[in-house]
Amino acid sequence: GDTPACVVSLNGNHAVRLPLMECVQMTQDVQKAMDERRFQDAVRLRGRSFAGNLNTYKRLAIKLPDDQIPKTNCNVAVINVGAPAAGMNAAVRSAVRVGIADGHRMLAIYDGFDGFAKGQIKEIGWTDVGGWTGQGGSILGTKRVLPGKYLEEIATQMRTHSINALLIIGGFEAYLGLLELSAAREKHEEFCVPMVMVPATVSNNVPGSDFSIGADTALNTITDTCDRIKQSASGTKRRVFIIETMGGYCGYLANMGGLAAGADAAYIFEEPFDIRDLQSNVEHLTEKMKTTIQRGLVLRNESCSENYTTDFIYQLYSEEGKGVFDCRKNVLGHMQQGGAPSPFDRNFGTKISARAMEWITAKLKEARGRGKKFTTDDSICVLGISKRNVIFQPVAELKKQTDFEHRIPKEQWWLKLRPLMKILAKYKASYDVSDSGQLEHVQPWSV
């Protein structure tokens, strides 16, 4: 045919097809630029994210002497909200250093909105955040408390410390908190400052973003544990494991963990299932036990069904599998929230937080000298990654995309990967490839 050979590559969170010859040409151009010591060109040819990463790295690694940083006389505060997520500390470090490089005075708020109301606020310097990138949990301390019942106190603290902008790093509570602060702007002018939220939660359930800091680390833990559990049965034939994952109502961890660990099924809230589905899964496993692979793995999201609990599914499988396979169950629990962040979460946290800080700096620049009040929706945003772009979305606009009862976005990109798991587990299923996309072209990036 006339179709040129192509390379399937990733752009952001999006698979793209690129002509093979253009990719080869680009690779050779980079090498040529390097050989001829045209390093600016080499950086440009390597693409947008390479240039961005290099720039962020330089800003975070090397501090200019204080007298070379023009001061803005602005105070920017950073806070962690919700449950701990691996990579939060990398995000705080990055925000603090970019903020200092931009000339702001950085303030750390300890123990979430609770600490905010009590005035647990201290200036935080460049060296204070040294070595934070690889630390798990949240060094600043984090709580699920919402600001709603402390609005007076928090407004007082904002005034006392003259806070000119707020960066919130956290999960669904951070999102709800941002909505509450946004609604309180009419009553408290202290909240009329730029505010931005960076999503950080293992559940990956924040509206406005495909990914959240901490989800990758949790996924690594789940996959690793599933591998170990499966291996424990390498001597025992015909065994099925039922493993419960976290995530609230959001099935991201169960679904992606299932894909990565090669599960036979993953039960999630977003895709309702009934006794017939459970029956068909049991029959499928019974058939599988007749082959050479005599192990089964089933994942269940903790809140996928009120009545089909992990115990129920375990008992059902045990009864139905009698004489064919036996069953074991495992609840992974809080090990999914702990641990050192994966390289992805360290870098993602660092980059997205630096981007949030640049946004704050730009907003404060607009207002300089005019004592401007920020009252518009676009000054209180969630920073998210969507397909291949990093975008700031007004929290007010994200409301209609949110299922507040179940604390998840109404639409989730990863659901279209569901059939893939079924195919890999040898079920008859069809995978939608309509979005396989047109052939694109390789673009050098202009610095």
Side-chain angles (χ1 to χ4, degrees):
D2 301 334
T3 332
C6 75
V7 176
V8 177
S9 172
L10 270 184
N11 186 342
N13 178 27
H14 212 59
V16 292
R17 293 191 307 156
L18 303 167
L20 174 65
M21 293 321 290
E22 286 186 26
C23 294
V24 172
Q25 186 60 52
M26 184 68 94
T27 309
Q28 289 171 344
D29 289 349
V30 170
Q31 194 52 54
K32 191 164 180 284
M34 298 282 280
D35 294 342
E36 294 171 9
R37 307 188 69 77
R38 291 182 287 112
F39 298 122
Q40 274 317 113
D41 291 345
V43 167
R44 192 176 58 84
L45 289 163
R46 281 190 189 276
R48 183 176 70 169
S49 60
F50 184 87
N53 291 347
L54 183 64
N55 187 35
T56 305
Y57 167 72
K58 287 200 283 208
R59 294 198 70 186
L60 292 173
I62 303 139
K63 181 183 184 287
L64 284 172
D66 279 336
D67 52 12
Q68 284 180 37
I69 303 174
K71 296 284 176 277
T72 60
N73 297 323
C74 289
N75 298 322
V76 179
V78 185
I79 185 172
N80 285 165
V81 178
M88 273 184 164
N89 299 320
V92 173
R93 166 186 178 266
S94 168
V96 167
R97 291 196 169 177
V98 170
I100 291 170
D102 282 346
H104 311 312
R105 185 165 160 266
M106 296 301 297
L107 300 171
I109 298 166
Y110 295 85
D111 293 338
F113 286 117
D114 189 31
F116 203 165
K118 292 178 182 152
Q120 296 172 3
I121 303 165
K122 284 215 302 270
E123 183 172 357
I124 187 164
W126 184 279
T127 51
D128 295 332
V129 291
W132 281 29
T133 313
Q135 302 281 330
S138 160
I139 298 171
L140 292 185
T142 181
K143 279 195 173 164
R144 288 179 180 271
V145 173
L146 294 175
K149 43 179 194 257
Y150 298 118
L151 292 171
E152 291 288 339
E153 293 88 335
I154 292 174
T156 306
Q157 293 299 335
M158 298 262 308
R159 197 167 55 249
T160 310
H161 291 90
S162 53
I163 293 171
N164 306 102
L166 183 63
L167 170 61
I168 305 176
I169 300 165
F172 205 83
E173 280 82 15
Y175 171 72
L176 293 175
L178 199 60
L179 277 168
E180 292 184 355
L181 293 175
S182 155
R185 274 179 161 184
E186 285 177 17
K187 246 182 95 179
H188 302 281
E189 62 170 16
E190 290 84 357
F191 300 143
C192 298
V193 299
M195 294 187 185
V196 60
M197 169 193 167
V198 167
T201 164
V202 295
S203 306
N204 194 21
N205 62 339
V206 176
S209 192
D210 289 355
F211 286 118
S212 63
I213 299 165
D216 182 72
T217 303
L219 211 45
N220 274 295
T221 304
I222 292 167
T223 309
D224 195 31
T225 312
C226 287
D227 290 349
R228 288 175 184 221
I229 287 172
K230 266 165 83 171
Q231 212 173 35
S232 75
S234 55
T236 329
K237 293 292 177 234
R238 301 207 283 265
R239 176 163 284 175
V240 174
F241 291 101
I242 292 152
I243 293 176
E244 181 186 301
T245 64
M246 284 173 103
Y249 284 97
C250 178
Y252 178 82
L253 292 177
N255 187 70
M256 301 312 256
L259 259 182
D264 295 282
Y267 300 116
I268 61 171
F269 167 77
E270 292 89 344
E271 197 174 274
F273 58 98
D274 59 20
I275 198 74
R276 284 178 293 276
D277 297 304
L278 292 169
Q279 182 61 38
S280 113
N281 291 149
V282 170
E283 284 164 9
H284 188 262
L285 280 165
T286 309
E287 283 305 301
K288 183 178 173 179
M289 294 302 167
K290 294 176 182 164
T291 68
T292 51
I293 306 167
Q294 301 184 342
R295 287 178 307 195
L297 180 68
V298 174
L299 270 66
R300 178 188 173 274
N301 158 274
E302 59 182 353
S303 308
C304 65
S305 162
E306 200 181 344
N307 295 311
Y308 297 142
T309 59
T310 302
D311 283 335
F312 176 93
I313 293 175
Y314 165 69
Q315 286 168 337
L316 178 87
Y317 272 65
S318 297
E319 180 64 32
E320 296 292 317
K322 265 194 187 144
V324 183
F325 57 80
D326 67 352
C327 260
R328 294 287 183 275
K329 64 171 194 237
N330 263 297
V331 176
L332 297 186
H334 281 76
M335 62 186 283
Q336 294 164 86
Q337 258 181 34
S342 63
F344 176 86
D345 276 332
R346 297 176 194 205
N347 289 338
F348 177 52
T350 298
K351 288 193 280 195
I352 200 163
S353 183
R355 187 69 200 82
M357 208 61 222
E358 286 162 11
W359 177 86
I360 285 177
T361 300
K363 286 276 182 225
L364 291 173
K365 231 180 216 149
E366 283 170 31
R368 198 167 296 159
R370 290 180 302 192
K372 180 176 163 216
K373 288 269 170 284
F374 291 87
T375 51
T376 54
D377 284 348
D378 66 359
S379 64
I380 185 156
C381 288
V382 172
L383 171 56
I385 196 163
S386 172
K387 286 203 170 79
R388 53 177 92 178
N389 298 310
V390 175
I391 48 176
F392 291 88
Q393 288 167 283
V395 70
E397 285 173 24
L398 290 171
K399 254 169 126 161
K400 53 184 182 295
Q401 297 174 29
T402 310
D403 169 354
F404 284 99
E405 187 195 344
H406 299 104
R407 302 161 54 99
I408 51 175
K410 286 179 183 168
E411 283 187 15
Q412 304 187 87
W413 65 272
W414 52 266
L415 280 168
K416 63 175 190 289
L417 300 175
R418 290 283 291 171
L420 206 52
M421 183 165 51
K422 295 196 173 100
I423 292 167
L424 293 172
K426 282 216 164 110
Y427 282 85
K428 289 184 174 40
S430 61
Y431 181 58
D432 174 22
V433 288
S434 61
D435 192 24
S436 58
Q438 294 304 304
L439 200 59
E440 302 186 15
H441 291 287
V442 178
Q443 304 285 342
W445 191 64
S446 52
V447 180

